[in-house]
Amino acid sequence: MNSAPGILIVRLSALGDILHTLPAFLDLKETFPECRIDWLVSKKCGFLLSAVSGIGRIHIVDTDSLLKPSGGAAAWRQFAATVRNVRRSRYDVSIDFQGLLKTALLGSLSGARIRIGFSGQLVRERPAHWFYQRRLAHSGEQIHVIELNRRLAEVAGARRSNARCVFDIMEQDRAHTDALLKKERLTDFVVINPGGGWPTKRWQPEKYGMLAAKIQHECGLPVVVTTGPGEDPLFQGILKTCGNPAPRHFPVSFLQLVPLLEKARLLIGGDTGPFHLACAVGTPVVGVFGPTSPVRNGPWRGSDEVVVHRLSCSYCYGRTCPTKNECMDVSVDEVFDAVIRRLGNH
């Protein structure tokens, strides 16, 4: 049995949303240094938390398999084992930063004496707020999700801190990235990440290609394109319009991005995990936003840039679009101008 007071953070996914929760975690850690702060996270995102210094125990839960025909009884047995392990930790407080019915239920199943979450106006699935004993009320203003999460931590008694997130990257991952940079003889470069979990968040690869050409020819900075699994066609689309020299292609893992971003002059991308990782690392960014609001999901610092094409239907948070994704119809020149401003604003 653990003697130290325990706090359980519930934030299962996605990678960008977990990154947006880290400042609240740091506030809790700085305010309650005597507490053990553990995290309940999805199977597919646990690797990210394993690289974050200061987290106690990471509980991995696979809720995706529960309703799949291939999951069956084995998935439910694994889920029950996870719940038992969480309950054995005897948490004093659970904080649900996700606001789904399943995350609220998991907080309740944890056995925590005090369950904290968002009010009915802030949760993603309204019944979730029934499970909380303390709630963050809706202020009526639109604020960044990081600010929202930090206010939720304040409901638990946290105070604002100036702590920075430290990522503990394995030496082989740093060595892999360093080897790529050494092979390409890169020391001063810009990163383009064309991916996005939703198709509606993606700017056209052909426009990224034209942007890469302008950066390389007019700024004299080489461009590195990073892609994740299944995103090679995005790089091929960039090649079609970039011309010579072609941008370098680094198909690195998510955590291998950290040492790359630490050395990059700038990252350009949409509302996706690598973009928010760049913000967490402290890399300057230029964002191309459409279906999601940059006020809520944009860069963390005021010196960073966001380019948007405002429409009456903007910020719908839709994963599909009946208007052929017109909100992402941003010109190459608009993004290039933002790049110039951000490169000049150190």
Side-chain angles (χ1 to χ4, degrees), residues 95-97 115-123 129 132-140 143-156 160:
I95 310 175
D96 179 8
F97 286 94
R115 299 184 301 277
I116 297 172
F118 296 113
S119 65
Q121 293 81 12
L122 292 173
V123 289
H129 82 283
Y132 312 135
Q133 295 158 314
R134 298 181 187 173
R135 302 172 184 85
L136 175 67
H138 185 31
S139 66
I143 57 176
H144 199 284
V145 66
I146 288 177
E147 174 65 20
L148 194 67
N149 288 335
R150 297 185 83 174
R151 291 184 186 183
L152 184 61
E154 289 176 345
V155 176
R160 298 296 176 101

Side-chain angles (χ1 to χ4, degrees), residues 79-345:
F79 176 77
T82 299
V83 171
R84 286 195 298 271
N85 288 335
V86 170
R87 292 182 69 87
R88 289 192 190 106
S89 297
R90 298 186 182 277
Y91 293 104
D92 299 277
V93 176
S94 70
I95 310 175
D96 179 8
F97 286 94
Q98 196 150 356
L100 298 175
L101 186 55
K102 67 179 178 182
T103 55
L105 179 60
L106 284 166
S108 182
L109 290 174
S110 73
R113 294 188 301 105
I114 300 172
R115 299 184 301 277
I116 297 172
F118 296 113
S119 65
Q121 293 81 12
L122 292 173
V123 289
R124 289 176 58 189
E125 296 176 350
R126 189 168 177 80
H129 82 283
W130 298 337
F131 290 82
Y132 312 135
Q133 295 158 314
R134 298 181 187 173
R135 302 172 184 85
L136 175 67
H138 185 31
S139 66
E141 58 182 326
Q142 187 181 33
I143 57 176
H144 199 284
V145 66
I146 288 177
E147 174 65 20
L148 194 67
N149 288 335
R150 297 185 83 174
R151 291 184 186 183
L152 184 61
E154 289 176 345
V155 176
R159 298 184 298 272
R160 298 296 176 101
S161 74
N162 295 318
R164 289 283 304 274
C165 182
V166 177
F167 294 100
D168 185 14
I169 304 302
M170 291 189 294
E171 186 55 38
Q172 57 262 41
D173 284 333
R174 288 193 177 275
H176 177 73
T177 300
D178 288 344
L180 290 173
L181 293 172
K182 184 177 180 180
K183 179 183 177 182
E184 298 293 342
R185 300 180 180 179
L186 294 177
T187 57
D188 195 19
F189 58 93
V190 169
V191 173
I192 286 177
N193 184 84
W198 310 348
T200 51
K201 291 182 180 181
R202 299 176 195 152
W203 199 39
Q204 299 94 319
E206 294 75 17
K207 288 187 175 180
Y208 273 123
M210 290 185 279
L211 176 67
K214 287 178 74 69
I215 291 171
Q216 294 190 140
H217 288 291
E218 299 185 33
C219 301
L221 290 169
V223 171
V224 171
V225 176
T226 59
T227 56
E231 293 181 343
D232 282 357
L234 299 179
F235 177 68
Q236 296 304 318
I238 290 172
L239 284 181
K240 290 178 182 178
T241 55
C242 183
N244 291 317
R248 280 73 160 187
H249 184 204
F250 286 10
V252 293
S253 72
F254 195 77
L255 292 181
Q256 287 167 351
L257 277 171
V258 172
L260 181 69
L261 293 171
E262 288 173 344
K263 297 177 174 66
R265 283 278 297 275
L266 180 73
L267 176 131
I268 308 159
D271 178 8
T272 188
F275 179 87
H276 301 301
L277 183 63
C279 294
V281 170
T283 307
V285 297
V286 171
V288 184
F289 276 58
T292 57
S293 169
V295 175
R296 185 185 188 278
N297 299 87
W300 305 9
R301 295 167 302 183
S303 55
D304 287 322
E305 294 276 343
V306 177
V307 184
V308 296
H309 180 207
R310 286 293 303 272
L311 300 172
S312 60
C313 58
S314 290
Y315 316 147
C316 66
Y317 285 80
R319 301 190 181 204
T320 60
C321 179
T323 67
K324 298 181 180 180
N325 221 29
E326 290 180 7
C327 66
M328 292 296 283
D329 189 19
V330 176
S331 74
V332 173
D333 286 342
E334 286 178 281
V335 181
F336 183 69
D337 288 345
V339 167
I340 295 298
R341 288 194 299 269
R342 188 62 188 95
L343 288 173
N345 187 11

